[in-house]
Amino acid sequence: MMNSQLQKLNHAPSFSLLPKSSIHTNYLIRHGSPSLINTLPRHPVRQNHNNKKNSSSCVVIRASSGEFGSSASVTTTSTENKSVSVKAVVTVQVTAGGFLSSLLTRPLDDFTDLLGKTLLLELVSAELDPKTGLEKDRIKGYARKASHNDDEVIYESNFTIPPDFGAVGAIEVENEHQNEIFIKTIDLQGFPNGSVNVPCDSWVHAKSDNPQKRIFFTNKSYIPSETPSGLKRLRELELENLRGNGQGERKTSDRIYDYDTYNDLGDPDSEDELARPVLGSKEHPYPRRCRTGRPRTQKDPLSETRSSSVYVPRDEAFEEVKQVTFSGKTLKSVLHALVPSLQTVLLDPDLGFPYFTAIDSLFNEGVTLPKPKTSGFFQTIIPRLVKTITDGGDDLLLFETPEIIDRDKFAWFRDEEFSRQTLAGLNPYSIELVTEWPLKSKLDPEIYGPPESLITTELVEKEIKGCMTVNEALKKKKVFILDYHDLYMPYVNKVREIGGTTLYGSRTLLFLTEDGTLRPLAIELTRPPVGDKPQWKQVFTPTWDATGCWLWRLAKAHVCAHDAGYHQLVIHWLRTHCATEPYIIAANRQLSAMHPIYRLLHPHFRYTMEINALARQSLVNAGGIIERCFSPAKYSMELSSVAYDQLWRFDTEALPADLIRRGMAVEDPTAEHGLKLTIEDYPFANDGLILWDAIKEWVGDYVNHYYPDPTLVESDTELQGWWTEVRTKGHADKKDEPWWPVLKTPENLIHILTTIIWVTAGHHAAVNFGQYMYAGYFPNKPTIARTNMPTEDPSEEFFKNFLKKPEFALLMCFPSQIQATTVMAVLDVLSNHSPDEEYIGDKLESSWAENPVINAAFERFNGNLKRLEGIIDERNTNLKLKNRVGAGVVPYELLKPISTPGVTGMGVPNSISI
């Protein structure tokens, strides 16, 4: 029997030559419990294959450090010295953008297929030649086209493998086509002990574009110290190829991962007003993004020129299902076609809605759009929203009613809903426990005025109706705050110099009632001194007089706009999209594709770099959607840099640490999840902690399997290189911070990986997929407040008009018609689940499937997530949980793991894919 597939694998080999009991025995020897190990037979295990003489394989288990010590190894011998015929089956995905795409080159590719010289495959032995110490000669062969259907093309090649070749560890591929192709898998069939799977899922460039062969490793995972000798050079070579040399402009076909600052947000060569500071420096700290190498602008040597497409490494681009059905092309089309069409209809960019029924008309009458040049264009890109009025007529943009308004048309108007959404809404990350009293700003009073808040003890005790003193309320953890004061204040006067928007520093105080719900107590809005005007601040409270009621509603609108900006720029963009890109770049530069940690993280990085590149093109760029439609305007990204500098720390991105930091939980070893929540009915935290624990258990099982000896973590050169590069290059502006976790033990690694996976999955899902549901009806979450409060330096005429028609003052404060409809269309796309979405715990990777220990751990993970779905369904019917159940209340489902395609308000994808 050949020993070609009885490999000296690391901790999770797929020994298909062995009976299942032998596989189990080997795992228990390496990692099992002593009690189980003691029950195992203490003699060599023999397996007779095919009942033929001279065809037996003997597996010898050798152990050091005791009879079944931790360094047990497996070796094989064979008495069969025969060559084996093997068929390679290559599955190529048919794509419109690559294979079979060009009418000019397709005849050449067809001719190449006809000649049988399509793909050159080279099988690489996992071991060096024991006689020479060199790599064994490759076994080469061309793959011929065998079959073709709508989705896939199958190529096949036959190889004869000599008995001394050993295990196949990798395949090198050369693409003889004129175009790139997308290879899904390569399967080697015909080995006596089963097929060998080589997962690819990658674009392979044409030889004419790049003569360098592509390297694909089998689905066996190895930490660096256990790399088979014949693969060590290729392992290092592939990482060198991915790192590049840091020179030149990147081409679309490249697979280079490197770092750069956010120096491509502005466009100073087009217009001086579009110049923006570089983010990623001592003055403006920021995470790094992927380097594109585009030339610098003429007016600003620090900034990079912009282009119609932004480079991302080839394998990071959207697959065609996502491009065609929804996200990539849809988002681009909304930004570059739908928005300009809206601008032609809504000619006045400052025109607001004249009355509330005009807002309602967006959902029942729609906005008539001029017919595009391409028939059916809008219906194709956003079929949910754009309808054809008549054949050959114009199109109609008809928004779907968000669930929150569909259930309760006046929910947005109510104080209790305003408070509830701080715990179960679009941004459940901002609410904090008040621990210091009185409230006081930390900003320089010489610049920003008196730091003391006007929310006084007397005012609070009046609002809580004398049921307790402020000190008692603080001691009982009853007082909470949304604090956007110090972050926004430095930008108030700058923003007010821009037309069509305004800004305040704000504080919103909330009180925890006996039934576990929150009640707003007060809103304080502050403007710093400007010119000869002193600081202005005023506190607004829920009152019973008409004027006070309308002032309170206007103050809430300003706070909602502050929250919307902070949510989008900090909680969503910075803490998920932006902070994750360095993890992806570092992983591809430092972790081999055969590294078990790379294979654990890879599903959680899918599409993130591509969606970030799209965001830099049209959303967060100078003059983009965020700047046009959110209160901070041109200072939006700069403000997110300040938040990164002052607030972002990796160690508090973990959900438990985040809750503790905000005073929303305290450590309690006796409590479920090891935490006691300050507000028991906190839907985001309640569901999130179950998801966090499930992720942590899965990661723990995985890490402990590959690192049974704690010293292996510290000695893993690739792993240490990855974590070092995350800190010193990806987050270079914070590289010297003392709070970075050390990476010395499996426990350190488990916590780091759990945090990253939580951010890419749970955190992002909680703050992304509810966007249309909560902000699609913009009065509930306006993204911009355009006018000052009527009581701030009002003219006599303005205040008189406010008293006469207060509704108009609120409508004028809300976004303009073009701002509102633009944001609504974009949020619809961003809240959408693609048909090809991959959800957490749902897909078993091939490298995990062949490993019984990892396979079993994944099944437990999958089971825990199904249990979470049931718990969420049950909680959403429990009338005692008033923050997620009630008349007209939208159930909290954002952390329910699985979703169907579309805008559903549920689903936790593996990655930040939109």
Side-chain angles (χ1 to χ4, degrees):
M1 181 64 63
M2 286 191 58
N3 66 357
S4 61
Q5 298 314 314
L6 221 74
Q7 306 172 37
K8 294 173 68 176
L9 301 177
N10 65 334
H11 311 99
S14 177
F15 290 116
S16 52
L17 267 176
L18 295 174
K20 290 184 178 179
S21 60
S22 299
I23 297 173
H24 187 60
T25 299
N26 185 50
Y27 289 129
L28 293 176
I29 289 170
R30 295 297 296 271
H31 314 300
S33 66
S35 60
L36 288 174
I37 290 174
N38 289 334
T39 68
L40 300 175
R42 298 174 180 242
H43 51 77
V45 180
R46 295 180 181 272
Q47 174 73 19
N48 193 316
H49 293 270
N50 301 325
N51 295 317
K52 294 182 180 180
K53 292 182 179 180
N54 300 325
S55 297
S56 63
S57 290
C58 176
V59 179
V60 182
I61 301 176
R62 297 190 179 94
S64 59
S65 303
E67 188 172 3
F68 292 101
S70 61
S71 59
S73 63
V74 175
T75 62
T76 66
T77 61
S78 175
T79 58
E80 183 177 61
N81 296 310
K82 296 181 180 179
S83 297
V84 174
S85 295
V86 175
K87 178 193 289 184
V89 178
V90 184
T91 303
V92 175
Q93 183 171 304
V94 174
T95 63
F99 184 64
L100 303 181
S101 64
S102 173
L103 295 175
L104 295 176
T105 58
R106 180 173 174 178
L108 297 175
D109 289 342
D110 289 345
F111 184 65
T112 303
D113 283 344
L114 188 63
L115 294 177
K117 291 184 176 291
T118 302
L119 298 174
L120 177 62
L121 307 180
E122 298 185 11
L123 309 188
V124 181
S125 174
E127 302 296 338
L128 296 175
D129 189 318
K131 297 179 181 178
T132 65
L134 302 176
E135 293 179 4
K136 296 178 182 179
D137 291 339
R138 310 286 171 82
I139 301 175
K140 303 180 180 180
Y142 280 100
R144 296 173 177 268
K145 183 177 177 181
S147 64
H148 179 199
N149 59 35
D150 291 341
D151 301 316
E152 297 175 346
V153 181
I154 303 298
Y155 290 85
E156 296 179 354
S157 181
N158 295 310
F159 297 92
T160 300
I161 301 182
D164 60 349
F165 187 76
V168 175
I171 298 178
E172 288 197 318
V173 179
E174 187 174 80
N175 174 20
E176 306 286 348
H177 282 117
Q178 299 299 305
N179 291 313
E180 63 179 357
I181 60 173
F182 188 85
I183 299 182
K184 297 173 69 175
T185 60
I186 303 174
D187 288 311
L188 301 179
Q189 303 172 356
F191 288 111
N193 52 322
S195 300
V196 173
N197 177 259
V198 181
C200 303
D201 286 320
S202 178
W203 292 95
V204 178
H205 51 258
K207 179 182 177 181
S208 57
D209 290 334
N210 185 346
Q212 193 174 58
K213 297 183 180 71
R214 280 297 311 277
I215 304 166
F216 294 109
F217 298 104
T218 66
N219 58 8
K220 312 301 180 187
S221 298
Y222 304 92
I223 61 175
S225 62
E226 297 185 355
T227 309
S229 58
L231 302 179
K232 288 182 178 179
R233 184 187 66 84
L234 286 184
R235 182 171 187 149
E236 295 172 359
L237 176 62
E238 177 69 350
L239 287 173
E240 289 176 6
N241 293 340
L242 291 168
R243 291 178 194 135
N245 59 11
Q247 304 296 317
E249 184 172 358
R250 299 271 62 90
K251 304 188 299 295
T252 302
S253 60
D254 285 345
R255 297 171 58 245
I256 307 298
Y257 294 79
D258 204 354
Y259 302 95
D260 207 343
T261 58
Y262 278 74
N263 60 1
D264 63 341
L265 300 175
D267 192 8
D269 288 351
S270 295
E271 187 179 338
D272 290 342
E273 184 61 28
L274 295 179
R276 295 292 181 271
V278 173
L279 303 185
S281 63
K282 185 177 180 180
E283 293 76 19
H284 301 289
Y286 220 58
R288 300 302 190 260
R289 50 93 173 177
C290 185
R291 179 185 177 276
T292 64
R294 290 174 293 185
R296 301 304 173 100
T297 62
Q298 295 178 358
K299 291 185 178 180
D300 180 8
L302 298 178
S303 294
E304 189 174 85
T305 55
R306 296 178 59 79
S307 59
S308 58
S309 62
V310 180
Y311 166 79
V312 295
R314 189 64 186 96
D315 288 337
E316 303 297 332
F318 291 151
E319 292 182 18
E320 286 199 343
V321 171
K322 192 174 183 74
Q323 288 183 349
V324 173
T325 61
F326 138 73
S327 178
K329 290 183 178 178
T330 303
L331 183 56
K332 287 183 178 179
S333 298
V334 167
L335 298 175
H336 299 295
L338 180 60
V339 172
S341 293
L342 285 170
Q343 291 171 337
T344 63
V345 176
L346 307 171
L347 299 178
D348 184 355
D350 298 321
L351 182 64
F353 289 88
Y355 31 79
F356 278 96
T357 52
I359 299 174
D360 296 339
S361 71
L362 295 174
F363 306 102
N364 51 48
E365 295 177 17
V367 178
T368 302
L369 300 173
K371 188 172 181 62
K373 295 179 181 178
T374 305
S375 177
F377 174 72
F378 288 137
Q379 298 95 292
T380 301
I381 61 170
I382 37 176
R384 293 180 68 252
L385 303 184
V386 179
K387 325 292 181 186
T388 299
I389 301 175
T390 59
D391 291 339
D394 292 333
D395 285 336
L396 186 69
L397 179 63
L398 185 64
F399 289 98
E400 291 199 358
T401 305
E403 187 176 3
I404 184 175
I405 300 303
D406 193 41
R407 285 174 174 257
D408 182 353
K409 185 175 181 180
F410 302 105
W412 69 276
F413 215 56
R414 295 185 286 106
D415 287 351
E416 53 269 33
E417 180 64 16
F418 170 80
S419 300
R420 189 191 73 84
Q421 288 182 28
T422 65
L423 302 172
L426 188 53
N427 176 20
Y429 269 98
S430 283
I431 186 169
E432 298 184 4
L433 178 70
V434 174
T435 57
E436 296 181 1
W437 192 263
L439 302 176
K440 190 174 181 180
S441 171
K442 294 180 173 61
L443 298 174
D444 185 352
E446 294 293 322
I447 300 174
Y448 299 103
E452 294 80 12
S453 171
L454 292 184
I455 302 177
T456 62
T457 298
E458 294 75 19
L459 185 147
V460 172
E461 290 179 351
K462 177 185 175 183
E463 289 300 317
I464 61 178
K465 313 302 181 188
C467 63
M468 64 183 72
T469 66
V470 168
N471 286 336
E472 288 172 337
L474 293 173
K475 187 176 181 179
K476 293 181 179 180
K477 298 183 177 180
K478 292 279 193 178
V479 186
F480 297 84
I481 191 170
L482 296 178
D483 192 348
Y484 299 129
H485 186 278
D486 285 11
L487 182 67
Y488 279 136
M489 277 284 279
Y491 288 92
V492 169
N493 290 332
K494 294 179 181 179
V495 166
R496 287 180 171 218
E497 294 175 357
I498 304 169
T501 185
T502 191
L503 195 63
Y504 291 100
S506 70
R507 297 184 180 102
T508 303
L509 213 62
L510 304 108
F511 181 75
L512 182 63
T513 65
E514 290 300 318
D515 64 1
T517 60
L518 290 170
R519 182 164 66 85
L521 298 178
I523 293 172
E524 180 180 39
L525 301 178
T526 306
R527 181 207 68 203
V530 54
D532 59 355
K533 294 180 180 180
Q535 181 195 72
W536 178 90
K537 67 176 67 168
Q538 186 172 349
V539 176
F540 304 90
T541 59
T543 62
W544 298 101
D545 69 281
T547 302
C549 281
W550 276 104
L551 289 173
W552 170 249
R553 288 164 186 156
L554 281 161
K556 279 200 303 180
H558 281 275
V559 169
C560 285
H562 300 166
D563 187 71
Y566 188 80
H567 159 262
Q568 202 66 266
L569 292 165
V570 179
I571 301 300
H572 185 193
W573 165 255
L574 172 66
R575 289 179 60 178
T576 66
H577 288 259
C578 191
T580 295
E581 189 154 342
Y583 311 147
I584 303 172
I585 299 172
N588 283 278
R589 288 168 56 86
Q590 297 295 334
L591 297 176
S592 167
M594 67 169 72
H595 198 293
I597 301 306
Y598 179 87
R599 284 178 161 155
L600 175 67
L601 286 174
H602 187 251
H604 301 285
F605 294 158
R606 182 174 183 247
Y607 296 156
T608 301
M609 293 180 72
E610 172 84 341
I611 196 65
N612 286 1
L614 284 172
R616 299 205 313 278
Q617 275 185 285
S618 303
L619 288 173
V620 300
N621 60 301
I625 300 296
I626 297 294
E627 288 196 357
R628 296 205 304 268
C629 301
F630 285 73
S631 285
K634 63 183 289 186
Y635 300 101
S636 292
M637 288 295 283
E638 187 178 327
L639 187 141
S640 74
S641 169
V642 173
Y644 177 72
D645 182 34
Q646 296 179 0
L647 304 173
W648 189 90
R649 333 175 9 154
F650 182 88
D651 61 332
T652 56
E653 291 303 287
L655 177 60
D658 173 81
L659 293 171
I660 292 169
R661 177 188 65 81
R662 292 188 284 122
M664 301 305 292
V666 293
E667 291 187 75
D668 182 354
T670 66
E672 189 179 11
H673 317 296
L675 293 178
K676 179 177 175 56
L677 293 177
T678 310
I679 299 176
E680 291 183 11
D681 181 14
Y682 185 1
F684 161 70
N686 295 133
D687 298 353
L689 285 169
I690 298 177
L691 179 57
W692 168 272
D693 282 354
I695 295 170
K696 186 176 182 180
E697 182 183 74
W698 154 240
V699 173
D701 289 342
Y702 192 98
V703 167
N704 288 326
H705 178 69
Y706 284 104
Y707 296 93
D709 182 346
T711 62
L712 290 173
V713 170
E714 199 165 7
S715 63
D716 187 328
T717 54
E718 288 184 5
L719 191 65
Q720 294 297 329
W722 166 70
W723 186 235
T724 298
E725 202 164 283
V726 165
R727 301 187 330 267
T728 62
K729 292 188 176 181
H731 288 274
D733 300 324
K734 288 181 173 279
K735 61 183 176 64
D736 297 322
E737 296 286 356
W739 42 253
W740 282 106
V742 297
L743 181 52
K744 291 185 177 181
T745 67
E747 289 73 24
N748 300 150
L749 180 57
I750 290 166
H751 186 74
I752 289 168
L753 296 175
T754 302
T755 300
I756 291 173
I757 293 172
W758 162 257
V759 168
T760 62
H763 181 154
H764 181 260
V767 302
N768 180 76
F769 291 104
Q771 290 191 89
Y772 190 76
M773 179 167 61
Y774 286 107
Y777 184 78
F778 67 86
N780 182 65
K781 188 70 69 174
T783 59
I784 190 170
R786 297 190 297 150
T787 58
N788 295 340
M789 291 293 293
T791 52
E792 183 200 342
D793 304 327
S795 67
E796 184 177 341
E797 182 181 1
F798 180 82
F799 195 75
K800 183 179 179 180
N801 288 333
F802 163 66
L803 293 176
K804 185 177 180 180
K805 276 285 188 179
E807 176 185 334
F808 286 170
L810 187 57
L811 288 166
M812 288 172 60
C813 185
F814 281 157
S816 68
Q817 292 188 39
I818 185 64
Q819 288 170 332
T821 50
T822 296
V823 170
M824 290 165 69
V826 171
L827 293 186
D828 176 80
V829 176
L830 298 183
S831 303
N832 214 317
H833 289 274
S834 172
D836 76 332
E837 192 60 85
E838 294 180 1
Y839 293 95
I840 190 165
D842 192 47
K843 179 183 177 184
L844 181 65
E845 300 293 322
S846 62
S847 62
W848 307 341
E850 289 198 4
N851 183 324
V853 171
I854 301 302
N855 195 337
F858 185 83
E859 289 300 316
R860 281 195 298 278
F861 182 41
N862 179 269
N864 285 335
L865 296 177
K866 288 180 179 177
R867 184 173 67 89
L868 172 58
E869 292 221 338
I871 290 172
I872 290 173
D873 287 340
E874 183 181 0
R875 285 174 173 172
N876 286 334
T877 61
N878 186 347
L879 288 171
K880 294 180 180 179
L881 303 177
K882 293 181 171 57
N883 291 322
R884 66 191 306 155
V885 183
V889 172
V890 175
Y892 191 76
E893 297 181 311
L894 288 169
L895 292 176
K896 197 171 181 180
I898 305 297
S899 172
T900 55
V903 179
T904 63
M906 66 176 72
V908 182
N910 267 327
S911 62
I912 303 165
S913 58
I914 186 60

